[in-house]
Amino acid sequence: MTNVIEVQDISKRFTIHHERNQTLKERILHPRSGSSEIFDALSDINFTVAQGETLGIVGHNGSGKSTLLKCICGVLKPTTGQIRLRGNLAALLELGAGFQHELSGRDNVYLYGSMLGFTRKMVDAIFDDVVAFSELEHFIDTPVKFYSSGMYVRLAFAVAVNVNPDILVVDEVLAVGDERFQAKCIDRIRRFQREGRTILLVTHQADTVRAICDRAIVLDHGNMIADGPVTEALRIFRERLLGDVIDHRPGGSGVVTIDGLSAPSGSFEVRHGSSLRFDATLTCDHAVSGNLVIEVFTRTGLLVSRNDAEASPVTLRPGVNKVGVELANVPLLDGVYDLNVGLVEPQGATMLAWREKAASLQVLYDGRSSGVVAIESSVTQW
Amino acid sequence: MVSARASLRTRLSNLIARRELLLSLITSDIRIKYKGSALGLFWSMLSPALTLATYYLVFSVFLKNGIPLFVVYLFAGLIVWNMFQTAVSSATGVIVDRAGLVKKVSFPREILALSNVGASVIYFVIQIVVLAIFLAIVGHAPAWGFLWLLPISFVALYLLTASIAVVMSAITVYLRDVRHLMDVVLQLWFWVSPVVYSYENSIAPALRIRGLTALYFINPMTPIILTFQRIFYVNTTVRSTTTGLPLHILPAWSMTTFAEVNVGLLVFAVALFLVALVIFGRLEGNFESEL
Ligand SMILES: Nc1ncnc2c1ncn2[C@@H]1O[C@H](COP(=O)(O)OP(=O)(O)O)[C@@H](O)[C@H]1O
Ligand SMILES: [Mg+2]
């Protein structure tokens, strides 16, 4: 398999000027004033992406995801290192960047196409597809300054995916636009995958990563802390977020740990449609209250259910606590599922404790449905 | 391939690879200016035509300076100067003005400045056409034998303009008030170039006596303007319409001298353009923290 993207030792250092000294007059009058600070947004990033792979990039806000994408598509020059690309690339860093407000949608399609590096001929060939995809047939000759933000997004995305780049780079833009258009974009991304194109995707939505990426890397304060299968990377990402929470707690006190889960029957086995009771053991060094979060995953990494457990607040005393949990009427079909358990603050903002794969759940089912859950269907002939 | 510093070779090949973008930017600039009006071309010719007509009237009726068809001399120089001046003054702020684009879309940034130069080339061509029509009307033939110098001189003008435009667009990112400074510099530059006056007929003798002729020719715009004037105005010496005395309007250089000067200038302009790209490359590295 050939590598279409090779990122070698990329670092990016920003200089942040505190007092902006941006005129000649000020420079002459105050030659030495104006302090500045350096900030390493990326440190020694290395990875490769093979042809046809879909790589997810996850990380907290400000971890350097956008900076990395900008280096890859050449908007920013890395401070050190180099990036090799094979094939042409279309990047959606910010939708509609590069649109000229005064120009019509039509003119902007051509202009934007040429910004992405495609010739007028190539854009001619796909123009009708772009318009059809964006569903802007009636507005294509209207100046884009009259477009709504949704229309903007649609046109920009339509250009980027229809120019059929070898590499598509998308930075958190799937989240905008209505759900139907989002689904259409994801559809198009899947077609890209089938055609063996390479995709780099930054998104906040873990589910999107799980659903469409083959691999993910995790950035944390500009360092790459994981590169591997999606489930593994997302686990590391979550642990690191949690680690940050503990590190940043004032005084370093108030540590809560989830020691484990235990089922009264001794095993986490449950028959489809019946309930499962188990206990969670939590240790903490001071009284704390929060809500218990339970996630259920398939072994292929699909999130089946996550309840933010607003309805299940618990108050923990210092020391060892046991809380009882009941999963009612488990609708799952047979198979093995992983349970993740966490404790979030009552407001749901910070994760106080997290335990990945706290238990594996074995579901027994002997009906005829297949899949993950049973959806009852009844057929009536009129 | 993206790396910390691109070589001049890479810069040039990137520029050539993105020529379609350059064309798109130029056409979209022009389209915005004329808001898609079908009369766009007509309007763009009207303005230089009016200028020309006004000067014709002024210099042949009110301000008789004795130089026959002075308007042709004037317009030949103005065409060159306008191309330089509009390109440089519009390109100076272009990266600051298009910061949104620079921070979000990847393309060789110098293309922005070059697109302004490109738009000026279009107006340059329009003005040449207007001048040609005017010459046909008044029955004044250009110096056909010198016409082959025009492309050489034009390419030198283009590269010279582009070099200054590219460097100024980058400097303005760091020093925003350079824009205003540039306006002043361009004004002064205009007066040290032989556009509205004849160099030969005014300061040339004084400079020659003091051996300072070279000083006047440090300005690379001078030989280009003189070439255009030689091609379109043709006569180096004319008889004054008021006093009847002979006037030296243009240097009495031979065609070989004009050719040597222009080729020399072209070589200089090519070198300057490469230097400009290198300077731009150095300055470009910090755009993200200044924009
Ligand atoms: N032009 C810039 N100048 C200075 N700092 C910047 C610049 N661009 C980004 N940063 C900083 O770099 C860090 C990473 O930003 P970014 O890549 O946008 O993060 P993410 O996309 O992961 O949220 C942030 O702390 C941000 O403030
Ligand atoms: Mg970002």
Side-chain angles (χ1 to χ4, degrees):
Chain A
M1 191 83 89
T2 49
N3 286 332
V4 288
I5 305 176
E6 286 174 21
V7 174
Q8 291 169 2
D9 305 319
I10 287 297
S11 304
K12 179 67 197 178
R13 170 168 287 186
F14 287 117
T15 311
I16 302 158
H17 299 290
H18 290 306
E19 278 155 53
R20 295 176 78 74
N21 205 344
Q22 276 189 315
T23 65
L24 188 61
K25 198 177 95 197
E26 285 167 25
R27 292 255 168 122
I28 291 167
L29 293 179
H30 318 281
R32 278 169 191 285
S33 77
S35 61
S36 65
E37 189 186 314
I38 53 171
F39 175 79
D40 289 309
L42 291 173
S43 321
D44 285 325
I45 308 292
N46 283 285
F47 64 88
T48 58
V49 186
Q51 153 130 44
E53 225 180 347
T54 302
L55 179 76
I57 301 175
V58 292
H60 57 86
N61 263 335
S63 57
K65 304 182 295 291
S66 300
T67 306
L68 178 60
L69 288 193
K70 283 180 182 168
C71 288
I72 290 174
C73 56
V75 175
L76 284 178
K77 290 241 170 342
T79 311
T80 67
Q82 54 175 270
I83 295 167
R84 277 168 202 284
L85 300 175
R86 243 172 238 122
N88 51 21
L89 174 149
L92 281 173
L93 295 179
E94 204 156 308
L95 286 175
F99 278 8
Q100 277 278 18
H101 295 232
E102 302 294 328
L103 294 179
S104 67
R106 179 187 303 274
D107 291 339
N108 269 303
V109 168
Y110 283 95
L111 181 60
Y112 197 47
S114 65
M115 280 184 190
L116 296 176
F118 298 89
T119 62
R120 199 171 170 86
K121 255 205 189 108
M122 289 158 93
V123 181
D124 271 339
I126 54 143
F127 186 81
D128 293 335
D129 297 336
V130 170
V131 177
F133 189 90
S134 66
E135 300 168 19
L136 291 168
E137 289 87 349
H138 299 302
F139 304 98
I140 200 67
D141 289 307
T142 308
V144 298
K145 63 181 170 187
F146 299 118
Y147 282 20
S148 70
S149 61
M151 290 160 82
Y152 228 78
V153 168
R154 267 152 47 195
L155 192 61
F157 197 86
V159 178
V161 295
N162 281 294
V163 290
N164 287 329
D166 300 318
I167 307 168
L168 179 70
V169 172
V170 183
D171 189 359
E172 291 194 282
V173 290
L174 286 178
V176 276
D178 58 47
E179 223 151 88
R180 201 178 54 82
F181 191 73
Q182 261 181 48
K184 198 166 162 181
C185 296
I186 301 237
D187 255 13
R188 183 53 68 101
I189 288 181
R190 289 202 194 286
R191 195 173 101 192
F192 262 54
Q193 290 175 319
R194 285 196 300 278
E195 292 167 349
R197 301 181 200 273
T198 308
I199 302 165
L200 282 192
L201 184 76
V202 167
T203 172
H204 259 35
Q205 296 159 307
D207 291 344
T208 310
V209 178
R210 238 178 244 119
I212 60 186
C213 297
D214 307 315
R215 206 180 102 202
I217 63 174
V218 181
L219 294 183
D220 178 57
H221 298 289
N223 297 299
M224 192 169 86
I225 56 168
D227 175 0
V230 169
T231 20
E232 189 63 11
L234 287 177
R235 183 182 61 73
I236 292 170
F237 171 50
R238 196 139 36 186
E239 277 172 4
R240 180 52 63 104
L241 270 186
L242 183 63
D244 272 4
V245 171
I246 292 170
D247 289 348
H248 296 146
R249 191 162 306 153
S253 67
V255 177
V256 186
T257 55
I258 299 173
D259 304 320
L261 306 183
S262 58
S265 60
S267 79
F268 282 83
E269 225 175 60
V270 63
R271 192 155 279 285
H272 169 83
S274 53
S275 305
L276 173 74
R277 253 177 258 277
F278 60 86
D279 293 329
T281 315
L282 297 101
T283 313
C284 52
D285 53 11
H286 74 310
V288 62
S289 54
N291 296 326
L292 213 59
V293 179
I294 313 279
E295 284 183 355
V296 181
F297 276 95
T298 66
R299 277 287 152 98
T300 54
L302 176 76
L303 176 65
V304 179
S305 146
R306 171 190 169 100
N307 60 48
D308 280 345
E310 269 161 43
S312 54
V314 291
T315 305
L316 305 177
R317 295 173 302 278
V320 180
N321 298 261
K322 246 186 179 35
V323 296
V325 180
E326 180 178 352
L327 302 180
N329 310 329
V330 174
L332 300 173
L333 300 185
D334 60 349
V336 182
Y337 299 84
D338 289 319
L339 289 186
N340 300 336
V341 179
L343 185 73
V344 295
E345 272 191 332
Q347 296 81 11
T350 21
M351 193 72 82
L352 299 169
W354 184 257
R355 192 171 174 98
E356 191 88 10
K357 293 192 182 162
S360 335
L361 181 67
Q362 172 83 51
V363 180
L364 306 171
Y365 170 72
D366 34 44
R368 304 189 48 176
S369 299
S370 56
V372 180
V373 294
I375 297 174
E376 279 191 25
S377 57
S378 62
V379 179
T380 317
Q381 193 161 349
W382 300 109
Chain B
M1 169 108 166
V2 179
S3 61
R5 183 159 285 165
S7 69
L8 181 59
R9 260 244 326 268
T10 342
R11 292 200 84 81
L12 273 174
S13 68
N14 282 345
L15 264 184
I16 292 166
R18 300 302 296 272
R19 58 189 183 279
E20 284 255 349
L21 174 59
L22 182 59
L23 280 178
S24 283
L25 286 171
I26 295 171
T27 45
S28 68
D29 269 7
I30 290 175
R31 201 162 291 177
I32 290 170
K33 208 164 217 162
Y34 292 108
K35 292 250 163 68
S37 85
L39 293 174
L41 188 69
F42 173 74
W43 288 124
S44 63
M45 292 185 75
L46 192 63
S47 157
L50 278 177
T51 315
L52 192 58
T54 315
Y55 288 154
Y56 181 62
L57 207 65
V58 167
F59 288 105
S60 58
V61 180
F62 307 113
L63 276 178
K64 286 192 185 151
N65 57 1
I67 302 173
L69 268 186
F70 181 66
V71 61
V72 174
Y73 174 93
L74 181 61
F75 204 71
L78 266 183
I79 288 175
V80 174
W81 180 259
N82 282 346
M83 147 114 188
F84 176 73
Q85 193 261 335
T86 51
V88 170
S89 67
S90 63
T92 297
V94 74
I95 291 186
V96 175
D97 294 341
R98 305 289 280 277
L101 200 57
V102 171
K103 289 198 290 191
K104 282 156 204 159
V105 184
S106 151
F107 58 92
R109 277 78 179 85
E110 54 270 44
I111 279 190
L112 285 178
L114 293 178
S115 77
N116 285 331
V117 182
S120 301
V121 171
I122 309 265
Y123 299 122
F124 170 86
V125 172
I126 290 170
Q127 291 177 66
I128 289 276
V129 171
V130 169
L131 179 63
I133 294 172
F134 181 81
L135 292 183
I137 292 172
V138 299
H140 177 91
W144 296 113
F146 282 76
L147 209 57
W148 63 276
L149 287 173
L150 193 95
I152 301 176
S153 208
F154 171 72
V155 174
L157 170 65
Y158 177 85
L159 290 173
L160 202 69
T161 309
S163 309
I164 294 170
V166 161
V167 170
M168 290 317 295
S169 71
I171 290 178
T172 310
V173 174
Y174 297 88
L175 302 168
R176 302 290 163 97
D177 52 351
V178 158
R179 258 180 196 204
H180 309 301
L181 185 68
M182 204 56 203
D183 287 340
V184 178
V185 169
L186 284 170
Q187 292 251 339
L188 291 176
W189 200 327
F190 177 70
W191 290 110
V192 299
S193 306
V195 180
V196 292
Y197 59 91
S198 155
Y199 158 74
E200 276 302 319
N201 193 32
S202 55
I203 50 176
L207 288 179
R208 215 169 277 138
I209 290 165
R210 296 180 178 80
L212 294 175
T213 304
L215 200 64
Y216 191 77
F217 282 86
I218 286 177
N219 173 8
M221 292 300 287
T222 301
I224 299 174
I225 292 169
L226 290 177
T227 306
F228 273 70
Q229 289 163 339
R230 181 71 182 79
I231 291 170
F232 292 108
Y233 188 68
V234 184
N235 310 307
T236 54
T237 307
V238 292
R239 194 161 293 279
S240 169
T241 51
T242 44
T243 61
L245 296 172
L247 295 172
H248 298 291
I249 299 296
L250 290 167
W253 296 344
S254 66
M255 185 179 315
T256 330
T257 314
F258 267 109
E260 279 168 8
V261 167
N262 276 292
V263 170
L265 197 65
L266 181 62
V267 172
F268 168 75
V270 169
L272 192 70
F273 185 65
L274 297 180
V275 171
L277 289 184
V278 172
I279 293 175
F280 189 91
R282 295 287 164 95
L283 293 175
E284 171 190 58
N286 253 330
F287 279 180
E288 74 261 5
S289 50
E290 302 285 338
L291 285 174

